[in-house]
């Protein structure tokens, strides 16, 4: 609520909600850190139920939508590098406090490990091709290995 000028990569098992907000840019969750898979399992979250693009805006603006989708292919490292560049040039970032500027966090942004499958969501898609894959597996590790291999080759 009451957020402005934000870029975020989202994982949500329900419709993400915005209210009294503007200039929100949303993309599919694409981060990795070693504990992520275990945390998803502990929280009983299915990586296959990500409704990141099904945004519900309680305060719709008929003239201009309050949110948009980040460019397809935007990764966590793109957002983090933008933050680091702004800090390097001493540009203030909206919503970042002085304490948060100095806070260290560790995300492995170069590693091609995929925990949450990246989707295009509700974006308009090019009509030239499509693909449908169906996997049946008792474990997530087999599928995660497959996705990691496929996405690391791009």
């Amino acid at each position: 609520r009451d957020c402005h000028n934000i870029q975020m990569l989202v994982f949500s098992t329900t419709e993400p909600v915005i209210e009294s907000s503007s200039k929100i840019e949303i993309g599919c969750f694409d981060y990795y850190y070693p504990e992520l898979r275990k945390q998803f399992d502990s929280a009983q979250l299915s990586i296959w139920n990500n409704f990141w693009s099904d945004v519900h805006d309680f305060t719709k603006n008929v003239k201009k939508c309050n949110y948009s989708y980040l460019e397809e292919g935007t990764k966590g490292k793109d957002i983090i590098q933008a933050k680091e560049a702004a800090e390097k040039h001493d540009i203030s970032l909206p919503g970042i406090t002085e304490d948060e500027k100095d806070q260290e966090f560790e995300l492995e942004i170069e590693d091609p490990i995929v925990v949450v499958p990246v989707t295009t969501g509700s974006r308009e898609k090019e009509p030239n091709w499509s693909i449908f894959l169906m996997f049946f597996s008792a474990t997530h590790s087999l599928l995660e290995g497959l996705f990691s291999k496929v996405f690391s080759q791009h």
Side-chain angles (χ1 to χ4, degrees), residues 41-65:
D41 291 341
S42 294
Q44 297 180 338
L45 294 172
S46 171
I47 60 172
W48 307 107
N49 295 328
N50 187 2
F51 296 96
W52 70 269
S53 67
D54 297 337
V55 178
H56 181 78
D57 186 352
F58 278 108
T59 51
K60 288 183 182 175
N61 181 342
V62 288
K63 293 181 182 176
K64 183 172 179 174
C65 190

Side-chain angles (χ1 to χ4, degrees), residues 100-143:
E100 290 172 324
K101 280 184 180 179
D102 298 327
Q103 186 177 8
E104 290 294 322
F105 56 93
E106 290 187 32
L107 292 173
E108 294 188 24
I109 59 175
E110 297 299 329
D111 203 325
I113 296 173
V114 175
V115 174
V116 176
V118 177
T119 64
T120 59
S122 299
R123 287 188 187 106
E124 298 219 3
K125 298 167 186 68
E126 292 290 324
N128 57 357
W129 67 275
S130 64
I131 186 168
F132 175 77
L133 298 173
M134 184 178 293
F135 296 96
F136 297 96
S137 175
T139 65
H140 292 292
S141 60
L142 177 67
L143 294 176

Side-chain angles (χ1 to χ4, degrees), residues 2 15 27 38 46 132 135 154:
D2 298 319
E15 290 179 334
K38 191 183 298 181
S46 171
F132 175 77
F135 296 96
H154 289 296

